[in-house]
């Protein structure tokens, strides 16, 4: 079984299986927005919540922090940041309004000290001034960006000096039997659950392919270093199914 799956379909000009073109990604998330949370719970047995909690810890928030949560989707990380980290402000952004509509509905039930806002924005072209956030976060979003370098440049621009970027993303288990089982689960079980919930199995085949195409831990760290971040580190969770990278401006 190959460890990566990043060959592109050069013959017909169609995107390769795991390639995150903007149209494909918008199409998938606008279609599955109302089932996204249920899919997460069923497919990860609820472990995704513990991963987001670990990402909030990695963000090392202060009560004065202004936080930008990119690719915020239905708002689970934005709200975890607000509830657990209790910073001054969380701005959750995403380029699919249907996903943010679910986030806004959930945020109505939040009454903590943190101000929580959601707004439509492309993570590769951010509508915020230079040096305006203490922390930027992204959970399961970077993998869906056609141009990660553009995202890293934008995050460096909007972070204050010393600001921190926390990336929670699917990654590569190092223990081969666990990796084999995980890849089997991605290929067989994920499209089955997703197809049952949404009648759109194809989106979940993309999910498998995009995870298999994404760079492993050390390679993502090298990309962050190349972009100009410093003090880069990562921690694996659930045997490396996900990794949490932190990087400093
Ligand atoms: C897998 S969801 C993750 C949602 C949420 N962060 C979570 O933890 O559940 C990925 C999200 O990234 C968003 N996204 C993908 N590409 C984007 C882009 N270029 N700019 C902004 N959002 C994007 C999608 O619309 C989707 O809501």
């Amino acid at each position: 079984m190959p460890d990566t799956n990043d060959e592109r379909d050069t013959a017909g000009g169609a995107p390769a299986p795991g390639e995150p073109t903007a149209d494909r990604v918008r199409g998938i998330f606008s279609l599955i927005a109302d089932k996204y949370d249920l899919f997460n719970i069923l497919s990860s047995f609820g472990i995704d919540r513990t991963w987001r909690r670990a990402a909030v810890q990695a963000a090392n928030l202060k009560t004065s922090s202004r936080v930008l949560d990119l690719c915020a989707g239905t708002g689970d990380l934005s709200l975890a940041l607000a509830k657990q980290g209790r910073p001054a402000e969380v701005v959750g952004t995403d380029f699919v309004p249907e996903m943010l509509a679910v986030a806004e509905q959930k945020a109505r039930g939040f009454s903590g000290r943190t101000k929580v806002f959601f707004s439509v924005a492309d993570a590769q072209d951010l509508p915020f001034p230079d040096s305006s956030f203490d922390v930027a976060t992204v959970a399961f979003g970077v993998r869906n960006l056609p141009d990660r370098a553009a995202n890293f440049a934008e995050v460096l621009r909007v972070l204050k000096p010393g600001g921190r970027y926390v990336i929670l993303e699917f990654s590569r288990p190092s223990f081969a039997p666990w990796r084999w089982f995980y890849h089997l689960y991605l290929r067989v079980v994920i499209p089955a659950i997703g197809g049952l919930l949404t009648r759109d199995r194809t989106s979940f085949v993309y999910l498998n392919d995009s995870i298999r195409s994404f760079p492993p831990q050390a390679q993502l760290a090298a990309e962050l270093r190349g972009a100009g971040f410093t003090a880069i580190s990562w921690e694996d969770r659930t045997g490396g199914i996900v990794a949490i990278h932190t990087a400093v401006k």
Side-chain angles (χ1 to χ4, degrees), residues 25 29 36 52 71-73 94-96 99 121-123 139-140 144-145:
V25 172
F29 288 103
Y36 176 80
R52 289 193 193 82
C71 303
D94 199 284
F95 76 168
V96 173
M99 293 290 277
D122 189 325
F140 309 113
N144 291 298
L145 301 177

Side-chain angles (χ1 to χ4, degrees), residues 1-237:
M1 176 180 290
D3 291 324
T4 57
N5 178 21
D6 59 359
E7 63 275 1
R8 294 167 69 99
D9 176 0
T10 47
E19 186 181 347
T21 65
D23 284 350
R24 169 184 259 171
V25 172
R26 270 184 220 273
I28 289 173
F29 288 103
S30 56
L31 197 71
I32 68 173
D34 60 338
K35 303 278 180 10
Y36 176 80
D37 287 349
L38 182 59
F39 170 76
N40 271 351
I41 291 167
L42 293 179
S43 61
S44 79
F45 310 103
I47 299 171
D48 61 310
R49 292 184 190 158
T50 69
W51 296 336
R52 289 193 193 82
R53 277 203 288 275
V56 175
Q57 266 189 330
N60 208 11
L61 298 175
K62 301 192 177 92
T63 50
S64 59
S65 297
R66 198 164 179 245
V67 187
L68 174 63
D69 183 31
L70 299 166
C71 303
T74 58
D76 279 355
L77 182 59
S78 307
L79 288 168
L81 287 158
K83 287 176 191 163
Q84 187 189 329
R86 299 163 58 79
E89 187 176 317
V90 176
V91 181
T93 60
D94 199 284
F95 76 168
V96 173
E98 292 87 343
M99 293 290 277
L100 287 184
V102 179
E104 270 160 358
Q105 201 174 348
K106 287 197 266 189
R108 278 185 212 122
F110 172 70
S111 57
R113 70 177 290 275
T114 305
K115 290 181 192 145
V116 181
F117 304 101
F118 291 101
S119 73
V120 175
D122 189 325
Q124 300 164 149
D125 184 15
L126 295 170
F128 302 107
D130 297 359
S131 303
S132 48
F133 291 95
D134 302 285
V135 173
T137 58
V138 61
F140 309 113
V142 160
R143 176 174 39 86
N144 291 298
L145 301 177
D147 188 353
R148 274 194 297 280
N151 168 255
F152 294 166
E154 276 294 80
V155 171
L156 276 169
R157 183 182 67 72
V158 302
L159 277 178
K160 296 175 188 171
R164 181 181 277 246
Y165 191 21
V166 177
I167 301 175
L168 167 60
E169 190 50 88
F170 290 110
S171 202
R172 184 177 189 274
S174 53
F175 184 53
W178 182 229
R179 188 167 66 241
W180 181 86
F181 172 77
Y182 168 54
H183 286 169
L184 184 71
Y185 183 81
L186 281 175
R187 205 174 59 240
V188 178
V189 182
I190 292 291
I193 298 175
L196 268 178
L197 282 181
T198 64
R199 308 263 165 244
D200 175 38
R201 200 176 175 281
T202 329
S203 298
F204 298 90
V205 173
Y206 160 79
L207 178 65
N208 166 44
D209 292 331
S210 71
I211 293 173
R212 300 285 301 275
S213 307
F214 193 68
Q217 292 86 328
Q219 199 178 320
L220 184 62
E223 281 187 21
L224 287 161
R225 200 170 300 113
F229 286 98
T230 61
I232 294 142
S233 63
W234 73 84
E235 53 175 300
D236 284 348
R237 292 272 156 168

